[in-house]
Amino acid sequence: MKNIEFVKSIAVLDQLPEIKLPEIVLAGRSNVGKSTFINALFKRKAIAKTSSTPGKTRTINYYLIDSKFYVVDLPGFGYAKVAKKERAYWERLLIKYFAENNNISRVLHFVDSRHKPTQLDILLNNYLRELDIPYVVILNKIDKLKQSEVVKSRKAVLEQFPELSLGDNLFLNSSVKGISNSEIASLITNTVY
Ligand SMILES: Nc1nc2c(ncn2[C@@H]2O[C@H](COP(=O)(O)OP(=O)(O)OP(=O)(O)O)[C@@H](O)[C@H]2O)c(=O)[nH]1
Ligand SMILES: [Mg+2]
């Protein structure tokens, strides 16, 4: 994976890119570090907009990688201030985007290592399994935790999502320290090439 270019931002699903290519989709709660991960993976400072305030990404953003596949940055869920509306919006998005899109190769479900999986994490996980969409969970921002807390966090995720196994479909990541970025990069290239 070398070249990344921004393709488009869309708000509604009839604007999906005309050129169909495999999609690697980043999903997860707001502020978990999805956009930052894209920048870290491609060593670009700010191709994906990030923010310390939750709710930065409000549209579905398509990036084209080596003219071969898309990386798709989804808006985060669980932004507390608009929780109810947000949930309804997210459910609609999930239903439409995941159910009507046949090009998804794999979803990278980002979970904040500092918190237990939320209701919306569980909802997303249920959807992906129901629709038979391949996914992995990325337990993110582990640089913020002590080793003993990382162990606890991993345990909590495995309790909630027992189908996961470390190094296979579960990764511990820090975009700040670069932990796991290369494993996840290999996973992506193995998926789309
Ligand atoms: N310590 C640490 N901070 C991180 C990491 N990844 C992202 N952050 C920080 O977390 C904040 C949110 O990052 P974003 O990448 O904007 O999060 P997002 O998931 O795209 O959020 P939405 O666009 O709201 O869905 C920023 O302040 C980042 O610098 C990480 O691995 N470790
Ligand atoms: Mg974002």
Side-chain angles (χ1 to χ4, degrees):
M1 290 191 291
K2 287 204 179 87
N3 186 52
I4 177 166
E5 48 187 288
F6 176 70
V7 179
K8 64 175 354 191
S9 282
I10 60 171
V12 290
L13 288 172
D14 53 21
Q15 301 168 323
L16 287 175
E18 273 161 31
I19 300 168
K20 301 297 176 205
L21 290 170
E23 298 182 16
I24 300 289
V25 180
L26 282 70
R29 67 183 280 174
S30 206
N31 204 44
V32 70
K34 300 176 294 299
S35 302
T36 303
F37 179 79
I38 294 176
N39 292 333
L41 200 58
F42 293 95
K43 300 187 173 62
R44 293 284 294 264
K45 273 207 182 102
I47 188 151
K49 302 282 173 291
T50 66
S51 168
S52 54
T53 320
K56 180 65 185 176
T57 308
R58 306 303 300 150
T59 49
I60 301 176
N61 295 308
Y62 274 81
Y63 300 87
L64 179 64
I65 315 304
D66 296 343
S67 308
K68 288 237 168 58
F69 67 97
Y70 295 117
V71 162
V72 184
D73 191 11
L74 292 186
F77 53 70
Y79 182 29
K81 275 193 183 152
V82 283
K84 245 195 183 157
K85 261 186 160 170
E86 191 79 8
R87 186 182 169 118
Y89 169 76
W90 238 90
E91 291 208 50
R92 264 211 324 279
L93 182 85
L94 279 174
I95 292 163
K96 283 192 76 82
Y97 181 76
F98 289 114
E100 293 175 15
N101 183 342
N102 297 321
N103 299 300
I104 300 173
S105 292
R106 198 175 297 265
V107 171
L108 312 183
H109 176 183
F110 281 73
V111 173
D112 194 324
S113 62
R114 295 167 302 171
H115 306 281
K116 283 199 174 142
T118 67
Q119 285 305 311
L120 282 164
D121 281 315
I122 295 166
L123 180 81
L124 171 61
N125 179 271
N126 285 338
Y127 257 96
L128 296 174
R129 284 188 294 120
E130 253 166 50
L131 297 172
D132 226 2
I133 297 173
Y135 64 90
V136 298
V137 168
I138 297 178
L139 201 53
N140 205 30
K141 300 196 186 182
I142 58 158
D143 58 286
K144 295 234 180 196
L145 302 183
K146 295 185 203 131
Q147 193 52 40
S148 60
E149 294 170 325
V150 173
V151 173
K152 257 194 204 153
S153 166
R154 192 175 71 193
K155 211 172 145 214
V157 163
L158 286 169
E159 259 163 33
Q160 189 59 248
F161 307 130
E163 75 278 15
L164 299 178
S165 105
L166 192 65
D168 176 19
N169 51 4
L170 173 64
F171 297 88
L172 310 182
N173 186 67
S174 161
S175 299
V176 170
K177 296 226 166 122
I179 300 167
S180 269
N181 281 1
S182 62
E183 280 91 334
I184 300 165
S186 318
L187 172 89
I188 294 172
T189 44
N190 290 339
T191 304
V192 292
Y193 290 113

